[in-house]
PDB file of all heavy atoms in Angstrom:
ATOM      1  N   TYR W   4       2.195   2.404  -3.321  1.00  0.00           N
ATOM      2  CA  TYR W   4       1.309   3.175  -4.181  1.00  0.00           C
ATOM      3  C   TYR W   4       1.053   4.571  -3.626  1.00  0.00           C
ATOM      4  O   TYR W   4       0.905   5.526  -4.379  1.00  0.00           O
ATOM      5  CB  TYR W   4      -0.028   2.452  -4.362  1.00  0.00           C
ATOM      6  CG  TYR W   4       0.073   1.259  -5.274  1.00  0.00           C
ATOM      7  CD1 TYR W   4      -0.363   0.008  -4.857  1.00  0.00           C
ATOM      8  CD2 TYR W   4       0.598   1.382  -6.554  1.00  0.00           C
ATOM      9  CE1 TYR W   4      -0.266  -1.094  -5.692  1.00  0.00           C
ATOM     10  CE2 TYR W   4       0.697   0.289  -7.399  1.00  0.00           C
ATOM     11  CZ  TYR W   4       0.261  -0.948  -6.967  1.00  0.00           C
ATOM     12  OH  TYR W   4       0.355  -2.023  -7.797  1.00  0.00           O
ATOM     13  N   LYS W  10       0.389  11.355  -8.659  1.00  0.00           N
ATOM     14  CA  LYS W  10       0.496  11.078 -10.093  1.00  0.00           C
ATOM     15  C   LYS W  10      -0.590  10.109 -10.552  1.00  0.00           C
ATOM     16  O   LYS W  10      -0.868   9.984 -11.735  1.00  0.00           O
ATOM     17  CB  LYS W  10       1.867  10.496 -10.417  1.00  0.00           C
ATOM     18  CG  LYS W  10       2.947  11.543 -10.407  1.00  0.00           C
ATOM     19  CD  LYS W  10       4.279  10.915 -10.721  1.00  0.00           C
ATOM     20  CE  LYS W  10       5.375  11.963 -10.499  1.00  0.00           C
ATOM     21  NZ  LYS W  10       6.697  11.370 -10.458  1.00  0.00           N
ATOM     22  N   MET W  11      -1.153   9.350  -9.592  1.00  0.00           N
ATOM     23  CA  MET W  11      -2.209   8.412  -9.973  1.00  0.00           C
ATOM     24  C   MET W  11      -3.589   9.065  -9.919  1.00  0.00           C
ATOM     25  O   MET W  11      -4.563   8.504 -10.415  1.00  0.00           O
ATOM     26  CB  MET W  11      -2.166   7.186  -9.060  1.00  0.00           C
ATOM     27  CG  MET W  11      -0.929   6.320  -9.312  1.00  0.00           C
ATOM     28  SD  MET W  11      -0.804   4.945  -8.171  1.00  0.00           S
ATOM     29  CE  MET W  11      -2.183   3.957  -8.676  1.00  0.00           C
ATOM     30  N   ASN W  17      -2.505   9.306 -18.845  1.00  0.00           N
ATOM     31  CA  ASN W  17      -3.889   8.825 -18.918  1.00  0.00           C
ATOM     32  C   ASN W  17      -4.757   9.760 -19.769  1.00  0.00           C
ATOM     33  O   ASN W  17      -5.580   9.301 -20.565  1.00  0.00           O
ATOM     34  CB  ASN W  17      -4.475   8.693 -17.511  1.00  0.00           C
ATOM     35  CG  ASN W  17      -4.159   7.354 -16.885  1.00  0.00           C
ATOM     36  OD1 ASN W  17      -4.824   6.366 -17.143  1.00  0.00           O
ATOM     37  ND2 ASN W  17      -3.100   7.303 -16.080  1.00  0.00           N
ATOM     38  N   ASP W  34     -11.195   0.592 -18.258  1.00  0.00           N
ATOM     39  CA  ASP W  34      -9.901   0.994 -17.695  1.00  0.00           C
ATOM     40  C   ASP W  34      -9.378  -0.189 -16.889  1.00  0.00           C
ATOM     41  O   ASP W  34      -9.889  -0.511 -15.811  1.00  0.00           O
ATOM     42  CB  ASP W  34     -10.117   2.232 -16.807  1.00  0.00           C
ATOM     43  CG  ASP W  34      -8.809   2.848 -16.318  1.00  0.00           C
ATOM     44  OD1 ASP W  34      -7.748   2.285 -16.600  1.00  0.00           O
ATOM     45  OD2 ASP W  34      -8.879   3.904 -15.645  1.00  0.00           O
ATOM     46  N   ILE W  35      -8.357  -0.865 -17.432  1.00  0.00           N
ATOM     47  CA  ILE W  35      -7.831  -2.089 -16.796  1.00  0.00           C
ATOM     48  C   ILE W  35      -6.737  -1.718 -15.804  1.00  0.00           C
ATOM     49  O   ILE W  35      -5.746  -1.087 -16.173  1.00  0.00           O
ATOM     50  CB  ILE W  35      -7.248  -3.033 -17.866  1.00  0.00           C
ATOM     51  CG1 ILE W  35      -8.325  -3.431 -18.860  1.00  0.00           C
ATOM     52  CG2 ILE W  35      -6.627  -4.270 -17.211  1.00  0.00           C
ATOM     53  CD1 ILE W  35      -7.764  -4.082 -20.108  1.00  0.00           C
ATOM     54  N   GLY W  36      -6.921  -2.106 -14.568  1.00  0.00           N
ATOM     55  CA  GLY W  36      -5.979  -1.689 -13.534  1.00  0.00           C
ATOM     56  C   GLY W  36      -6.126  -0.200 -13.305  1.00  0.00           C
ATOM     57  O   GLY W  36      -5.161   0.566 -13.359  1.00  0.00           O
ATOM     58  N   ALA W  37      -7.372   0.204 -13.031  1.00  0.00           N
ATOM     59  CA  ALA W  37      -7.744   1.625 -13.031  1.00  0.00           C
ATOM     60  C   ALA W  37      -7.074   2.430 -11.927  1.00  0.00           C
ATOM     61  O   ALA W  37      -7.027   3.662 -11.995  1.00  0.00           O
ATOM     62  CB  ALA W  37      -9.263   1.744 -12.904  1.00  0.00           C
ATOM     63  N   GLY W  38      -6.557   1.750 -10.894  1.00  0.00           N
ATOM     64  CA  GLY W  38      -5.955   2.487  -9.791  1.00  0.00           C
ATOM     65  C   GLY W  38      -6.995   3.358  -9.109  1.00  0.00           C
ATOM     66  O   GLY W  38      -8.124   2.927  -8.827  1.00  0.00           O
ATOM     67  N   ALA W  41      -7.292   7.782 -12.649  1.00  0.00           N
ATOM     68  CA  ALA W  41      -6.813   8.854 -13.530  1.00  0.00           C
ATOM     69  C   ALA W  41      -7.452   8.748 -14.924  1.00  0.00           C
ATOM     70  O   ALA W  41      -7.956   9.738 -15.462  1.00  0.00           O
ATOM     71  CB  ALA W  41      -5.292   8.813 -13.622  1.00  0.00           C
ATOM     72  N   GLU W  57     -10.219  -3.140 -11.203  1.00  0.00           N
ATOM     73  CA  GLU W  57      -9.077  -2.879 -10.317  1.00  0.00           C
ATOM     74  C   GLU W  57      -9.038  -3.945  -9.212  1.00  0.00           C
ATOM     75  O   GLU W  57     -10.003  -4.123  -8.477  1.00  0.00           O
ATOM     76  CB  GLU W  57      -9.234  -1.472  -9.715  1.00  0.00           C
ATOM     77  CG  GLU W  57      -8.271  -1.124  -8.602  1.00  0.00           C
ATOM     78  CD  GLU W  57      -6.791  -1.332  -8.969  1.00  0.00           C
ATOM     79  OE1 GLU W  57      -6.355  -0.857 -10.024  1.00  0.00           O
ATOM     80  OE2 GLU W  57      -6.096  -2.012  -8.192  1.00  0.00           O
ATOM     81  N   PRO W  58      -7.896  -4.642  -9.081  1.00  0.00           N
ATOM     82  CA  PRO W  58      -7.833  -5.733  -8.086  1.00  0.00           C
ATOM     83  C   PRO W  58      -7.547  -5.286  -6.653  1.00  0.00           C
ATOM     84  O   PRO W  58      -7.768  -6.061  -5.726  1.00  0.00           O
ATOM     85  CB  PRO W  58      -6.680  -6.603  -8.603  1.00  0.00           C
ATOM     86  CG  PRO W  58      -5.801  -5.677  -9.373  1.00  0.00           C
ATOM     87  CD  PRO W  58      -6.706  -4.615  -9.949  1.00  0.00           C
ATOM     88  N   THR W  59      -7.029  -4.087  -6.457  1.00  0.00           N
ATOM     89  CA  THR W  59      -6.595  -3.686  -5.109  1.00  0.00           C
ATOM     90  C   THR W  59      -7.743  -2.983  -4.371  1.00  0.00           C
ATOM     91  O   THR W  59      -8.211  -1.929  -4.821  1.00  0.00           O
ATOM     92  CB  THR W  59      -5.366  -2.757  -5.204  1.00  0.00           C
ATOM     93  OG1 THR W  59      -4.357  -3.404  -5.986  1.00  0.00           O
ATOM     94  CG2 THR W  59      -4.818  -2.430  -3.837  1.00  0.00           C
ATOM     95  N   MET W  62      -7.684   0.830  -3.497  1.00  0.00           N
ATOM     96  CA  MET W  62      -7.752   1.660  -4.714  1.00  0.00           C
ATOM     97  C   MET W  62      -9.215   1.796  -5.159  1.00  0.00           C
ATOM     98  O   MET W  62      -9.668   2.876  -5.526  1.00  0.00           O
ATOM     99  CB  MET W  62      -6.954   1.015  -5.842  1.00  0.00           C
ATOM    100  CG  MET W  62      -5.497   0.871  -5.565  1.00  0.00           C
ATOM    101  SD  MET W  62      -4.593   2.168  -6.393  1.00  0.00           S
ATOM    102  CE  MET W  62      -2.942   1.542  -6.216  1.00  0.00           C
ATOM    103  N   THR W  85      -9.098  -8.429 -12.594  1.00  0.00           N
ATOM    104  CA  THR W  85      -7.733  -8.235 -13.110  1.00  0.00           C
ATOM    105  C   THR W  85      -7.791  -8.228 -14.635  1.00  0.00           C
ATOM    106  O   THR W  85      -8.830  -8.535 -15.231  1.00  0.00           O
ATOM    107  CB  THR W  85      -6.817  -9.398 -12.683  1.00  0.00           C
ATOM    108  OG1 THR W  85      -7.355 -10.612 -13.239  1.00  0.00           O
ATOM    109  CG2 THR W  85      -6.717  -9.513 -11.167  1.00  0.00           C
ATOM    110  N   ALA W  86      -6.652  -7.932 -15.237  1.00  0.00           N
ATOM    111  CA  ALA W  86      -6.581  -8.026 -16.694  1.00  0.00           C
ATOM    112  C   ALA W  86      -6.898  -9.447 -17.144  1.00  0.00           C
ATOM    113  O   ALA W  86      -7.574  -9.659 -18.157  1.00  0.00           O
ATOM    114  CB  ALA W  86      -5.183  -7.621 -17.158  1.00  0.00           C
ATOM    115  N   GLU W  87      -6.444 -10.416 -16.353  1.00  0.00           N
ATOM    116  CA  GLU W  87      -6.608 -11.816 -16.751  1.00  0.00           C
ATOM    117  C   GLU W  87      -8.033 -12.316 -16.534  1.00  0.00           C
ATOM    118  O   GLU W  87      -8.464 -13.270 -17.191  1.00  0.00           O
ATOM    119  CB  GLU W  87      -5.642 -12.700 -15.937  1.00  0.00           C
ATOM    120  CG  GLU W  87      -4.169 -12.432 -16.169  1.00  0.00           C
ATOM    121  CD  GLU W  87      -3.624 -11.261 -15.330  1.00  0.00           C
ATOM    122  OE1 GLU W  87      -4.402 -10.634 -14.575  1.00  0.00           O
ATOM    123  OE2 GLU W  87      -2.425 -10.966 -15.454  1.00  0.00           O
ATOM    124  N   VAL W 102      -2.977   1.572 -18.425  1.00  0.00           N
ATOM    125  CA  VAL W 102      -1.817   2.465 -18.266  1.00  0.00           C
ATOM    126  C   VAL W 102      -1.000   2.008 -17.062  1.00  0.00           C
ATOM    127  O   VAL W 102      -1.519   1.927 -15.937  1.00  0.00           O
ATOM    128  CB  VAL W 102      -2.257   3.934 -18.087  1.00  0.00           C
ATOM    129  CG1 VAL W 102      -1.049   4.810 -17.725  1.00  0.00           C
ATOM    130  CG2 VAL W 102      -2.929   4.460 -19.345  1.00  0.00           C
ATOM    131  N   ASN W 103       0.231   1.701 -17.323  1.00  0.00           N
ATOM    132  CA  ASN W 103       1.184   1.301 -16.274  1.00  0.00           C
ATOM    133  C   ASN W 103       0.698   0.109 -15.446  1.00  0.00           C
ATOM    134  O   ASN W 103       0.934   0.022 -14.239  1.00  0.00           O
ATOM    135  CB  ASN W 103       1.512   2.497 -15.358  1.00  0.00           C
ATOM    136  CG  ASN W 103       2.328   3.548 -16.080  1.00  0.00           C
ATOM    137  OD1 ASN W 103       3.037   3.235 -17.037  1.00  0.00           O
ATOM    138  ND2 ASN W 103       2.230   4.790 -15.642  1.00  0.00           N
ATOM    139  N   THR W 104       0.023  -0.828 -16.112  1.00  0.00           N
ATOM    140  CA  THR W 104      -0.373  -2.054 -15.411  1.00  0.00           C
ATOM    141  C   THR W 104       0.189  -3.312 -16.067  1.00  0.00           C
ATOM    142  O   THR W 104       0.275  -4.351 -15.418  1.00  0.00           O
ATOM    143  CB  THR W 104      -1.909  -2.230 -15.311  1.00  0.00           C
ATOM    144  OG1 THR W 104      -2.399  -2.807 -16.513  1.00  0.00           O
ATOM    145  CG2 THR W 104      -2.612  -0.936 -15.026  1.00  0.00           C
ATOM    146  N   HIS W 107       2.409  -5.537 -14.289  1.00  0.00           N
ATOM    147  CA  HIS W 107       1.858  -6.249 -13.122  1.00  0.00           C
ATOM    148  C   HIS W 107       1.131  -7.532 -13.510  1.00  0.00           C
ATOM    149  O   HIS W 107       0.837  -8.353 -12.654  1.00  0.00           O
ATOM    150  CB  HIS W 107       0.826  -5.378 -12.395  1.00  0.00           C
ATOM    151  CG  HIS W 107       1.400  -4.245 -11.603  1.00  0.00           C
ATOM    152  ND1 HIS W 107       2.026  -4.412 -10.408  1.00  0.00           N
ATOM    153  CD2 HIS W 107       1.419  -2.915 -11.846  1.00  0.00           C
ATOM    154  CE1 HIS W 107       2.403  -3.235  -9.927  1.00  0.00           C
ATOM    155  NE2 HIS W 107       2.054  -2.310 -10.790  1.00  0.00           N
ATOM    156  N   TRP W 108       0.757  -7.653 -14.791  1.00  0.00           N
ATOM    157  CA  TRP W 108      -0.053  -8.804 -15.192  1.00  0.00           C
ATOM    158  C   TRP W 108       0.706 -10.090 -14.872  1.00  0.00           C
ATOM    159  O   TRP W 108       1.905 -10.194 -15.103  1.00  0.00           O
ATOM    160  CB  TRP W 108      -0.368  -8.755 -16.688  1.00  0.00           C
ATOM    161  CG  TRP W 108      -1.227  -7.590 -17.107  1.00  0.00           C
ATOM    162  CD1 TRP W 108      -1.609  -6.517 -16.356  1.00  0.00           C
ATOM    163  CD2 TRP W 108      -1.780  -7.375 -18.411  1.00  0.00           C
ATOM    164  NE1 TRP W 108      -2.369  -5.645 -17.109  1.00  0.00           N
ATOM    165  CE2 TRP W 108      -2.486  -6.150 -18.371  1.00  0.00           C
ATOM    166  CE3 TRP W 108      -1.750  -8.086 -19.611  1.00  0.00           C
ATOM    167  CZ2 TRP W 108      -3.165  -5.626 -19.476  1.00  0.00           C
ATOM    168  CZ3 TRP W 108      -2.413  -7.573 -20.715  1.00  0.00           C
ATOM    169  CH2 TRP W 108      -3.126  -6.367 -20.645  1.00  0.00           C
ATOM    170  N   THR W 109      -0.023 -11.050 -14.345  1.00  0.00           N
ATOM    171  CA  THR W 109       0.632 -12.303 -13.971  1.00  0.00           C
ATOM    172  C   THR W 109       0.726 -13.264 -15.158  1.00  0.00           C
ATOM    173  O   THR W 109       1.528 -14.193 -15.138  1.00  0.00           O
ATOM    174  CB  THR W 109      -0.135 -12.994 -12.831  1.00  0.00           C
ATOM    175  OG1 THR W 109      -1.502 -13.127 -13.222  1.00  0.00           O
ATOM    176  CG2 THR W 109      -0.049 -12.177 -11.553  1.00  0.00           C
TER     177      THR W 109
HETATM  178  C1  SAM N 301       0.975   1.862 -11.302  1.00  0.00           C
HETATM  179  S1  SAM N 301      -0.720   1.514 -10.955  1.00  0.00           S
HETATM  180  C2  SAM N 301      -1.505   2.320 -12.362  1.00  0.00           C
HETATM  181  C3  SAM N 301      -2.930   2.701 -12.063  1.00  0.00           C
HETATM  182  C4  SAM N 301      -3.622   3.488 -13.161  1.00  0.00           C
HETATM  183  N1  SAM N 301      -3.775   2.696 -14.379  1.00  0.00           N
HETATM  184  C5  SAM N 301      -2.905   4.785 -13.451  1.00  0.00           C
HETATM  185  O1  SAM N 301      -2.357   4.929 -14.532  1.00  0.00           O
HETATM  186  O2  SAM N 301      -2.915   5.637 -12.565  1.00  0.00           O
HETATM  187  C6  SAM N 301      -0.855  -0.209 -11.352  1.00  0.00           C
HETATM  188  C7  SAM N 301      -2.232  -0.770 -11.109  1.00  0.00           C
HETATM  189  O3  SAM N 301      -2.306  -2.087 -11.628  1.00  0.00           O
HETATM  190  C8  SAM N 301      -3.109  -2.831 -10.748  1.00  0.00           C
HETATM  191  N2  SAM N 301      -2.871  -4.271 -11.009  1.00  0.00           N
HETATM  192  C9  SAM N 301      -2.091  -5.132 -10.321  1.00  0.00           C
HETATM  193  N3  SAM N 301      -2.166  -6.362 -10.858  1.00  0.00           N
HETATM  194  C10 SAM N 301      -3.026  -6.288 -11.913  1.00  0.00           C
HETATM  195  C11 SAM N 301      -3.531  -7.226 -12.856  1.00  0.00           C
HETATM  196  N4  SAM N 301      -3.157  -8.507 -12.850  1.00  0.00           N
HETATM  197  N5  SAM N 301      -4.422  -6.789 -13.772  1.00  0.00           N
HETATM  198  C12 SAM N 301      -4.792  -5.498 -13.800  1.00  0.00           C
HETATM  199  N6  SAM N 301      -4.352  -4.566 -12.932  1.00  0.00           N
HETATM  200  C13 SAM N 301      -3.468  -4.946 -12.009  1.00  0.00           C
HETATM  201  C14 SAM N 301      -2.713  -2.349  -9.379  1.00  0.00           C
HETATM  202  O4  SAM N 301      -3.678  -2.682  -8.390  1.00  0.00           O
HETATM  203  C15 SAM N 301      -2.599  -0.849  -9.632  1.00  0.00           C
HETATM  204  O5  SAM N 301      -3.808  -0.179  -9.424  1.00  0.00           O
END
Side-chain angles (χ1 to χ4, degrees):
Y4 286 126
K10 284 180 188 166
M11 291 176 68
N17 274 278
D34 188 356
I35 300 166
E57 170 53 50
T59 306
M62 298 259 193
T85 61
E87 296 83 359
V102 172
N103 291 334
T104 83
H107 286 285
W108 295 9
T109 53

